[in-house]
Amino acid sequence: MDLDPEDVFKDEEDDPDNEFFQQSESSKEYVVYLVDASPKMFNTTCPGKDQKDEIHFHVSISCIAESLKTQIICRSYDEVAICFFNTREKKNLQDLNGVFVFNVAEREQLDRPTARLIKEFDCIEESFMREIGSQYGIVPGSRENSLYNALWVAQALLRKGSIKTADKRILLFTNEDDPFGSLQGAAKADMTRTTLQRAKDIQDLGISIELLPLIRLDEEFNVSVLYSDLIGLDSEDLAQFIPSAGQKLEDMKDQLRKRMFTKRIIRRITFHIVKGLSIQLNTYALIRPTVPGAITWLDSVTNRPLKIERSLICEDTGSLIQEPPKRFQPYRNENVKFSMDEISEIKRISTGHLRLLGFKPLCCLKDYHNLRPSTFVYPSDQEVVGSSCIFIALHRSMLRLKRFAVAFYGGSSRPQLVALVARDEITTAGGQMEPPGMHMIYLPYSDDIRDAEEIFPDTEDDAPRADKDQIQKAAALIKRIEMKDFSVFQFANPALQRHYAVLQALALEEDDIPETIDETVPDEEGLARPAVVKAIEEFKLSVYGDNYDEENDHLGKEKVGGASRKRKEIAENAAKDYDWADLADNGQLKDLTVAALKTYLNAHDLPVTGKKEALISRILTHMGK
Amino acid sequence: MARNKEKLVLLLDVGPSMHGVLPEVEKVCSMLVEKKLIFNKDDEVGVVVFGTEETNNELMDEVGGYENIVVLQDIKVVDGDLIDILKKLPRGTVDGDFLDAIVVGMDMLIKKYKGIYKGKKRLCLITNAIHPTKDSLEGSKEDQVGTLAVQMTAQGMKMESIVVRGILSQDANKRIMDENDRLLSIFSKKTRSRTVYVDSPISLLGALKTRRVTPVTVFRGHLELSQQMKIKVWVYKKTQEEKFPTLKKYSEKAPSTSKFATHQVMVDYEYKSVDDSSTVVPPEQRIKGYRYGPQVVPISDAERDAVKFKPEKGVKLLGFTDASNIIRHYYMKDVYLFIAEPGNTRAILAVSAIARAMKEMNKVAILRCVWRQGQQNVVVGVLTPNISQNNKIPDSFYFNVLPFIEDVREYQFPSFNSFPASWLPNEQQQMAADEFVQMLNLAPSGKEEALLPEFTPNPVLERFYHHLELKSKQPDAAVPPLDETLKRITEPDLELDFENKSVLDSLCKHFELKENSKLKKSARRLLPEKPSGSNGEDGNGNVSDARAVDSIGQEPVVKIEKIGDLTPVQDFEVMMTRRDNPEWVGKAIREMRDKILSLLTNSHGGDNYLVAVECIIALRKGCILEQVSPSPSLCFCCCFFLNLLCGFRCFCLMEPGPYNNLMRYLYRYCQEKEISTFPKLLASMDVTLISKSEAVDSNFTDDEARRFLDKIKPEPKD
């Protein structure tokens, strides 16, 4: 036998198969915003909103400010630092010239963004010239290299935290494509070399540097002069760089405020397929309603948080109950008591596992077989080797045969039947749209399904059904009001966006609340297009006929009006039983019952609320006495 | 709320052919009354059984006939005695006539309420309807049923018929069954009746809605297609989870003899300052705070109310789209039902037209809904058509809530295609899976769909009410085991499994699972929770290599740090399971190898060979189990060791490596020393190299591993 050691025992380290175990997602992001504050940033403009020209420095600042405001809601655990270079003043730990790290009180230089940071950063432009100042840092004859210094400071700021748990980035805003352009000869070459070396060192530490160039209309930003080397661009990426950078800048400004959740396994479950074959699955919550966030109760005087103490008090004796009480259910005129152990025992009807019962065609899963948001399941070979293989085989079979699996999920809170629906992966250029795996849909029990549609059958005749023409008209209407590429990713929750806007305005003490757009309102303009209106009118005519509106209003009014008119008539008649003026004059109103007093009030359309005295005084006022 | 009371007469067939399902009938009927005792205490129930030997009903006394029908219980307010009656239904001896029973039931309702009572009156018939009904004296049976139906409608009665069929009533006369079905369908057509056919005990338990819920509209108003076109609709809940009853807390402070003690517990919340826990902050001084970064921003309710999102009440159409654009798992909540305003013919027509057009074109509608004025959020959801199968019932829509962008978490998962080939099923495996999915069919054509949600009762609630009833009689009653019938919801159907045994076996054969022993197992996995009241085994069958896994499951009692001479195999296994330091695995493998080699070299005439082979088998198992994610130090150790051992070789090893490498060393060793008995022994014990199918990291295929064995076997000496 031929023994070839290299082949048989190849190094596991370079085995690409093992990547799955090594793939770990960073949970945090550390970002240093590095903003060029050279006079050139203040002198040049680019066309902004409303056709007004905006100064490059202003563009950078507002972009960062917007990004911070989003970040504090979306990923408030990420940390940021803001750092200017080419400044007159200096403020940094290394005491390097031309670099100014902007910060506010109660905050480290690289830290989570706070309301105060955002607020003071918002108005930095007013005080910038006075307190920080703008000045070219790289001038002929001087050994200073402000770009080098800035990178050094940024690197030092990002020393915090491990690269394994955090994603570290430097975002560089500048409009100078050739920072060493003013230098000559050896000095230029030297500075270029040291700066590139610094950038390379930073990247070797796992920190990425991104360039966000600000571009003038009349002048091109030539990335290849210095920055393509500095940020490590390939020649292939070069052509794409400028347009994509511009897009990035836009994206930063215009991000949706959406709280991000880190990918987390909700539960590891065992899936019994058949006797003797159980695999391991991880479950994930891909879709869950997002709420504005937990409420912390505060003392409105001190604004300090409050703690909530819960105590159980016996209603009969008023004494405090220490031990967890038993529960009871009134039944057959007595209280049947249950201990908590008994209750959990009742609920435990199966192991906490998922047990396959069989398969059904997809058409058996009705639209009303739903109770809660679904849960995503994905196989894991971590504990049981071979799980993925079976899962993938079943997944493929189910997709091909158009079946879903019915299983019993014996969780502790609500053991129930679930449908496992296989979904194939969908990827677009933007990345994965739908992950491959199965979705666990919680099925209702018979007790959970109601038959409200069956409560109003017309006992005499069959229910009316639309005829062919009416269906055709409806089809024409549907064609007209069609949303071609609808996806659930289309709408932001207007209530939530409004809440975030209010929160931001209050936290930053802004005067007006930023506008939020309700994307969920119908497209009135589109509906008013003549072709749409025509289709609607035709459909209306075919199902309603000519005189529907009158009939409709008539019907509605008579129904509601009939009952209330009757009631009023009764009240009026009842009110006639008394000689009100006489009673009032003699002060005998107080002798009447409240019900009798109310008949008067009803008859005269007066409010009937309040105590007897209030009713009497209301009657007297009405009579003008 | 007298109107909300229900008057119900149960008409139960207890004839001989029903005896098989009577236990289920008893269960579902007593459950119905148990729930009424809690939720609808004022409802009134009467019980009629038919198919009995005796006869006892008023109609017989008055007009004669109506034999074999016994009124077990006159209509009365529900109480515990009723449950006792229903739990012990008599077993009849005669084939009953369900039409007669219906007449008796109607008669009871009419006599008792004489048209005074305008509320809900209901008959509930449970029968298998396989026996002929008596011919009527005048007119055909159809006419008779027609008259009954008219009377039923006039009296405002509803009827629910549950017909037990299928496997539960096999040897019945087809002609009679068809005739009975036709008669029952007349009721369905002419009255507010509903007939369901069930063919399994589970669906019998699920078919009767045991809790009566009066439907309440969520919304009444216009469905606005546009400004000009509106349809009047009512919106109900289609599904709503029936929760486990919220039990009140019980206080034992008051003496149990006290008549007036409520035994209730009040829950009191006190808000105290974090800094000073002695002061209680009054409600008006509290303010809600929301997180903004590290800070908490106070927002008073007044501020919030002034600026919060306030949508106008209304249900508006956003547009139609292809049904395929809405993926099923996006449905967020329980489901709503949109029906046209009852009695409004034109609205019904409009809904019907749109629903049918949507169905034909495979479209769905996207709506924006604000159910109530003052609601603080909007709901965007999908409207799907529900074409009615029953002529009496108008077409309607189902509505499911869809997520907003904020609700969708975009987690990325590795594509299955990017998995290593060993993780992907091969052709045979895929075929086995295909067959499995095909054969384990719960909805075969021609049979009732098994585990249909509409007919599947909630086993937890059934168990609770059962326990409640037991406890009311005997306060310390233990939790009863899960009902045998309902257990079939939680476990695979044995019959179906048996029918497809070959398919299941082939699936098991094609897929192999191994527990990854590298991981520290949590107690949960070692001691699988037994379902209470179940005596069935857990079926935790992923133990492919029972002995080795067992040994790993146990905690080492003695901390063994060296492989001794007496029990090398056990020592090795204990060391492999030690998890206090990852070095142990490496040490164990190293020591085991040392031991094997020393056994061989120190053997006199092969006396140690048997022990050595045992050691090799144990090492083999250990190496297979340890195959995933090795520590680099282990590789290093092995490497180092092998250097010493072989003198010239330096490999970086995975776990199958040390073993396979040792085997090949032994092979050379035996060749050099011309030892033939040891390889023979190995071959006879079927000890091969570790192949790829056993450990992903091995580079040998099964065949290669086996060939090694052939090679190691010395040439047969002629």
Side-chain angles (χ1 to χ4, degrees), chain A residues 1 368 383 400 434 544, chain B residues 330 346 434 454 525 711:
Chain A
M1 186 162 119
Y368 58 89
E383 283 178 50
R400 203 171 59 74
E434 285 290 327
Y544 284 178
Chain B
Y330 284 147
R346 297 184 178 193
D434 279 2
E454 284 86 334
R525 293 187 54 76
K711 223 170 174 180

Side-chain angles (χ1 to χ4, degrees), chain A residues 452-453, chain B residues 234-236 238 335-339 386 396-398:
Chain A
E453 65 263 53
Chain B
W234 289 11
V235 181
Y236 287 95
K238 176 65 188 173
V335 187
Y336 296 90
L337 175 81
F338 275 59
I339 57 168
N386 171 32
S396 54
F397 294 113
Y398 296 125

Side-chain angles (χ1 to χ4, degrees), chain A residues 477 480-482 521-537, chain B residues 225-229 317-318:
Chain A
L477 174 83
R480 284 288 168 201
I481 322 180
E482 181 158 359
V521 289
D523 172 19
E524 297 292 354
E525 236 171 79
L527 288 174
R529 282 201 310 271
V532 178
V533 173
K534 187 164 165 270
I536 292 173
E537 285 301 333
Chain B
L225 301 186
S226 77
Q227 300 277 20
Q228 300 87 39
M229 173 70 193
L317 172 79
L318 297 182

Side-chain angles (χ1 to χ4, degrees), chain A residues 21-234:
Chain A
F21 296 114
Q22 287 152 13
Q23 238 176 33
S24 71
E25 275 128 304
S26 325
S27 53
K28 267 197 212 176
E29 206 177 63
Y30 292 153
V31 179
V32 174
Y33 293 103
L34 215 52
V35 186
D36 190 352
S38 69
K40 192 177 173 184
M41 287 287 281
F42 290 90
N43 297 337
T44 44
T45 55
C46 56
K49 266 185 275 177
D50 313 327
Q51 309 304 317
K52 261 193 282 178
D53 283 357
E54 288 180 327
I55 304 167
H56 277 158
F57 186 73
H58 172 77
V59 174
S60 321
I61 296 295
S62 57
C63 173
I64 295 170
E66 279 307 309
S67 175
L68 285 177
K69 285 174 190 170
T70 309
Q71 190 203 332
I72 199 165
I73 284 162
C74 303
R75 306 178 305 269
S76 87
Y77 288 93
D78 289 357
E79 302 189 3
V80 293
I82 303 163
C83 177
F84 297 103
F85 65 105
N86 288 331
T87 53
R88 186 182 69 231
E89 305 297 323
K90 61 178 174 180
K91 190 176 134 203
N92 58 71
L93 286 175
Q94 291 79 2
D95 207 32
L96 295 168
N97 281 331
V99 181
F100 191 97
V101 179
F102 173 79
N103 201 5
V104 294
E106 294 165 27
R107 190 177 172 278
E108 286 178 35
Q109 291 196 324
L110 179 77
D111 205 346
R112 299 170 60 186
T114 61
R116 190 162 177 179
L117 178 82
I118 296 172
K119 214 170 117 195
E120 292 191 16
F121 187 74
D122 256 352
C123 40
I124 191 169
E125 279 176 274
E126 293 164 25
S127 60
F128 190 83
M129 281 307 167
R130 192 171 63 247
E131 282 167 18
I132 302 173
S134 164
Q135 175 181 312
Y136 285 113
I138 304 166
V139 284
S142 148
R143 301 283 306 278
E144 284 299 333
N145 180 347
S146 52
L147 180 59
Y148 176 89
N149 290 351
L151 288 172
W152 190 359
V153 168
Q155 183 195 338
L157 285 169
L158 289 171
R159 196 171 291 153
K160 184 172 168 182
S162 156
I163 196 74
K164 278 185 191 139
T165 56
D167 199 9
K168 298 183 182 182
R169 294 194 298 154
I170 297 172
L171 292 183
L172 182 64
F173 292 80
T174 185
N175 61 355
E176 177 57 81
D177 53 2
D178 187 12
F180 307 116
S182 59
L183 304 182
Q184 297 292 324
K188 179 175 182 176
D190 188 48
M191 278 205 187
T192 311
R193 190 181 49 76
T194 50
T195 310
L196 289 179
Q197 185 57 42
R198 172 58 58 190
K200 191 174 176 305
D201 289 348
I202 290 175
Q203 279 155 338
D204 286 347
L205 285 170
I207 300 168
S208 62
I209 304 177
E210 285 168 45
L211 176 69
L212 293 158
L214 298 141
I215 302 150
R216 273 195 288 177
L217 280 181
D218 49 342
E219 200 180 314
E220 207 183 321
F221 189 97
N222 192 348
V223 195
S224 45
V225 173
L226 173 79
Y227 283 107
S228 59
D229 291 334
L230 190 126
I231 57 177
L233 278 184
D234 293 338

